[in-house]
Amino acid sequence: MNIVILGGAGLVGQKLARALAKRGTLRDAEISRLTLADITDPAPVEARFTVETLTCDITDPASVAQAIPDGTDVIYLLAAVVSAHAEQDFDFGYKVNMMGTLNVLERARALGTCPALVFTSSIAVFGGEVPQPFTDSSLPNPQISYGAQKAIGEILVNDYARKGFIDGRGFRLPTISVRPGKPNRAASGFMSSIFREPLQGQTANCPVDKDFPHFYLSPRKCVENLIKGAEIPRDALGLNQTMTMPGRVWTIGQMIDALTAVAGPEPAKLITWDPQPEIEPILKGWRNDIRPQKAARLGLEADASFEDNIRYFLEDDLPA
Amino acid sequence: MNIVILGGAGLVGQKLARALAKRGTLRDAEISRLTLADITDPAPVEARFTVETLTCDITDPASVAQAIPDGTDVIYLLAAVVSAHAEQDFDFGYKVNMMGTLNVLERARALGTCPALVFTSSIAVFGGEVPQPFTDSSLPNPQISYGAQKAIGEILVNDYARKGFIDGRGFRLPTISVRPGKPNRAASGFMSSIFREPLQGQTANCPVDKDFPHFYLSPRKCVENLIKGAEIPRDALGLNQTMTMPGRVWTIGQMIDALTAVAGPEPAKLITWDPQPEIEPILKGWRNDIRPQKAARLGLEADASFEDNIRYFLEDDLPA
């Protein structure tokens, strides 16, 4: 079992690599090699099996061919230009998120062995004038280029799978919280920082009201789902290999209550409540009534409570 | 008003050109130039205004730039590799239908004037495991590459429009019947030939039963809708510029009854009923409960009866 993670330097890629290292198997087979590839050299991960790290530019077919050697059984395609970046740099977003995806699909096809390919899409595909709730049969009508590029990736993964070039499966990720690491400039950044920073004695700002609802998943469950996602029997995927990964809707108020239940009353006092007019239009466009029925039926899971999200952060990330 | 029709040698392109020539105006402005471009040199069309014809390979950006000169106000992107052909030649289908569309969008963007771009998609985007009826909010889950490529084109048109690069509008064409001319490589070819050939004293084969339902539009109404489609005020398009063009569901039996009502009992006797296993899987994947509500609200129209489709063929096409 030879696995490649494209986007292996990112938060999800690194956690996935560590989970695979701990597990040692995928699809009932011993893992013999794991390749972590990213635009910057991924941090190495300790494992019983061989772990290679290399830089890969998915916009370059030759670089993709190098990252995905012959004999690759499972490819995780997590690499992407994120939402705000793709919105600011239209051409670069399409180059990486659309053409890069196409390069990876073409390489997978060229292997000639119908490798499994796990593609991460995003709930950013939802929006526009499509009514809620968003089911697995709702039109993606994205209102950011990142969502458009992910929606195109979904169609490509489905069509390459239908043709038998890949054993494709795609999952639309909810907003991941609590993300470890430093604050970033993503519009969704505060959805992690208002927990992460206060849990470390620092202030963080929440630009929305306590009744603001959104659709979340913890990094731990996300990784578990990506592993399960690779293991779903191909026939069970039906005629649409792309689906929303389970998540749960919480309001900011519910999430802060969970923070307090797990960590006491002090952290919540470190949250400030200043509006950020520059991200308000983005946040207003987001939707939350999302029904990930197919993935749930196939065994993928949401977090049981936001208390769990907080605990996972404390267990998995805070020690580091 | 300078107009370019890419796919100007095709059935719809030629009829659209003649309709524009007869009309003389589009979007309340005098037409001063019409360019017909296609992979084969389009037949010239007589008009009060300048009509240019040229060959254009939409897979070549330089060729696209030549076909869409500076000062172009409206671009019709009708050029495509059709369903059965795109299914047989996967790479060529993506090259023309996806990359070619991207080349045209990039050229339209490079004009810097936000030209109108009318894109023809297809009801082939529908299928898979998405339940009927298909509304304007249904997921495209195409089961042929042609449908996948058209679904990608829709997302691209929407995103280029959202960014203000083009004044985009996309219409999913029903199956066009009665098509004049020779059979093409579309799996839907028989849906015209079983009327066209018998009306000219020749036999034609129908590979499905009389109760086979499908979603149709006449060439005449299609062209009327493409003209109206270019004239819909931009603001009226909302956040989703792509929609299904109105059509009507008829069974083969109803259509043959219409043929007989208009042209007497003789033509129907020339229809043979041999199965064609090679197109059966494609036909079985097609859906017909399609609700083109948004386009209807915006003033686009279906045919009133299939008798009309037969009459339009006799009036518009049989004399030639």
Side-chain angles (χ1 to χ4, degrees):
Chain A
M1 173 58 54
N2 296 325
I3 304 169
V4 175
I5 303 177
L6 298 167
L11 159 69
V12 175
Q14 282 279 307
K15 281 184 178 285
L16 175 61
R18 289 198 294 271
L20 291 169
K22 198 169 165 188
R23 219 167 178 266
T25 63
L26 188 68
R27 298 182 141 204
D28 295 323
E30 289 280 319
I31 300 170
S32 44
R33 193 189 68 224
L34 172 63
T35 305
L36 303 180
D38 210 315
I39 193 74
T40 56
D41 207 22
V45 166
E46 285 211 17
R48 284 165 278 173
F49 47 79
T50 308
V51 179
E52 287 182 67
T53 64
L54 77 158
T55 58
C56 170
D57 176 1
I58 63 168
T59 70
D60 172 15
S63 178
V64 171
Q66 209 173 20
I68 305 174
D70 288 337
T72 298
D73 301 296
V74 177
I75 301 158
Y76 281 98
L77 174 47
L78 315 178
V81 168
V82 296
S83 56
H85 192 176
E87 199 58 25
Q88 277 157 21
D89 192 339
F90 184 85
D91 295 312
F92 189 61
Y94 275 92
K95 191 175 171 189
V96 174
N97 294 345
M98 185 174 85
M99 297 312 296
T101 295
L102 202 56
N103 288 337
V104 173
L105 289 169
E106 277 298 298
R107 174 59 187 156
R109 175 187 177 196
L111 292 179
T113 55
C114 192
L117 188 142
V118 183
F119 172 69
T120 47
S121 181
S122 164
I123 55 167
V125 300
F126 295 128
E129 56 191 56
V130 176
Q132 304 205 60
F134 291 109
T135 71
D136 292 305
S137 294
S138 293
L139 174 78
N141 182 202
Q143 299 301 309
I144 51 174
S145 290
Y146 175 74
Q149 292 145 10
K150 287 296 183 186
I152 289 169
E154 293 180 3
I155 295 169
L156 289 171
V157 166
N158 270 336
D159 204 40
Y160 275 67
R162 187 186 59 81
K163 291 294 266 189
F165 299 148
I166 60 167
D167 174 3
R169 49 264 328 271
F171 302 98
R172 294 168 179 155
L173 265 51
T175 291
I176 302 299
S177 177
V178 181
R179 291 178 68 95
K182 288 183 178 159
N184 63 23
R185 288 165 59 200
S188 60
F190 74 90
M191 297 172 182
S192 283
S193 59
I194 60 170
F195 309 106
R196 183 183 60 226
E197 266 66 276
L199 282 167
Q200 298 174 83
Q202 291 152 27
T203 59
N205 187 58
C206 182
V208 297
D209 292 335
K210 283 194 173 174
D211 60 358
F212 181 87
H214 196 66
F215 188 73
Y216 297 97
L217 186 69
S218 67
R220 190 194 282 188
K221 277 285 173 196
C222 177
V223 164
E224 286 176 16
N225 284 336
L226 288 173
I227 290 171
K228 283 183 191 168
E231 295 188 330
I232 297 167
R234 193 173 169 191
D235 289 349
L237 291 165
L239 297 175
N240 181 11
Q241 288 78 19
T242 306
M243 64 204 79
T244 303
M245 186 179 280
R248 290 282 293 270
V249 177
W250 309 108
T251 65
I252 296 290
Q254 289 173 315
M255 293 156 83
I256 292 175
D257 288 347
L259 170 69
T260 298
V262 174
E266 293 310 311
K269 294 177 186 168
L270 293 167
I271 300 171
T272 59
W273 297 89
D274 300 321
Q276 280 174 249
E278 71 279 11
I279 62 168
E280 228 175 79
I282 303 177
L283 298 179
K284 277 193 177 155
W286 286 352
R287 307 301 174 78
N288 62 81
D289 191 355
I290 295 168
R291 313 275 175 96
Q293 289 158 329
K294 182 167 179 175
R297 202 171 64 238
L298 291 169
L300 275 58
E301 287 177 1
D303 300 291
S305 70
F306 201 78
E307 281 87 339
D308 279 353
N309 295 51
I310 300 286
R311 275 184 215 111
Y312 297 155
F313 173 72
L314 294 175
E315 291 169 18
D316 297 347
D317 299 302
L318 203 55
Chain B
M1 174 56 57
N2 296 324
I3 305 168
V4 174
I5 303 176
L6 299 166
L11 157 69
V12 175
Q14 282 279 309
K15 282 186 178 283
L16 175 60
R18 289 198 295 272
L20 291 169
K22 198 171 164 186
R23 222 169 175 264
T25 63
L26 187 68
R27 299 183 141 204
D28 295 324
E30 289 279 319
I31 300 170
S32 44
R33 194 188 68 224
L34 172 64
T35 305
L36 303 181
D38 209 316
I39 193 72
T40 57
D41 206 21
V45 166
E46 284 212 17
R48 283 166 278 172
F49 48 77
T50 308
V51 179
E52 287 182 66
T53 64
L54 76 159
T55 58
C56 170
D57 175 0
I58 64 168
T59 70
D60 172 14
S63 178
V64 171
Q66 209 174 19
I68 306 175
D70 288 336
T72 298
D73 301 296
V74 176
I75 301 158
Y76 280 98
L77 174 47
L78 315 178
V81 168
V82 297
S83 55
H85 190 178
E87 199 57 26
Q88 278 158 22
D89 191 339
F90 184 85
D91 295 312
F92 188 60
Y94 275 92
K95 191 175 172 190
V96 174
N97 293 345
M98 185 174 85
M99 298 312 296
T101 294
L102 203 56
N103 288 337
V104 173
L105 289 169
E106 277 297 297
R107 174 59 186 157
R109 176 187 177 196
L111 292 179
T113 55
C114 193
L117 187 142
V118 183
F119 172 69
T120 47
S121 180
S122 164
I123 56 167
V125 301
F126 295 128
E129 56 191 56
V130 176
Q132 306 205 60
F134 291 109
T135 71
D136 292 306
S137 295
S138 293
L139 174 79
N141 183 202
Q143 299 301 309
I144 51 173
S145 291
Y146 174 74
Q149 293 145 9
K150 287 296 182 184
I152 289 169
E154 292 181 3
I155 294 169
L156 290 171
V157 166
N158 270 335
D159 205 40
Y160 274 67
R162 188 187 60 80
K163 291 293 266 190
F165 300 149
I166 59 166
D167 174 4
R169 48 265 327 271
F171 301 98
R172 294 168 179 156
L173 265 50
T175 290
I176 302 299
S177 178
V178 181
R179 290 177 67 95
K182 288 180 181 164
N184 66 10
R185 293 178 74 175
S188 58
F190 74 90
M191 296 171 181
S192 283
S193 58
I194 60 169
F195 309 106
R196 182 183 61 225
E197 266 66 279
L199 282 167
Q200 298 174 83
Q202 292 152 28
T203 60
N205 187 58
C206 182
V208 297
D209 291 335
K210 282 194 174 175
D211 61 359
F212 181 87
H214 196 64
F215 188 72
Y216 296 99
L217 186 68
S218 67
R220 190 194 282 188
K221 277 285 174 197
C222 177
V223 164
E224 286 176 16
N225 285 335
L226 287 173
I227 290 171
K228 282 183 192 168
E231 296 189 329
I232 296 168
R234 193 174 169 189
D235 289 349
L237 291 165
L239 297 174
N240 181 12
Q241 288 77 21
T242 306
M243 63 204 79
T244 303
M245 187 179 280
R248 291 281 293 270
V249 177
W250 309 108
T251 64
I252 296 288
Q254 289 174 314
M255 293 157 82
I256 293 175
D257 288 347
L259 170 69
T260 299
V262 173
E266 293 310 312
K269 295 177 186 166
L270 294 167
I271 301 170
T272 59
W273 299 89
D274 299 323
Q276 280 174 247
E278 72 280 13
I279 62 168
E280 225 175 83
I282 300 180
L283 298 179
K284 276 194 178 156
W286 285 353
R287 306 304 172 77
N288 61 81
D289 190 355
I290 295 169
R291 313 274 174 98
Q293 288 158 329
K294 182 167 179 175
R297 202 171 65 238
L298 292 170
L300 275 59
E301 288 176 2
D303 301 292
S305 70
F306 201 77
E307 281 87 339
D308 279 354
N309 297 49
I310 300 286
R311 276 184 216 111
Y312 296 155
F313 174 72
L314 295 175
E315 289 170 18
D316 298 347
D317 299 303
L318 203 53

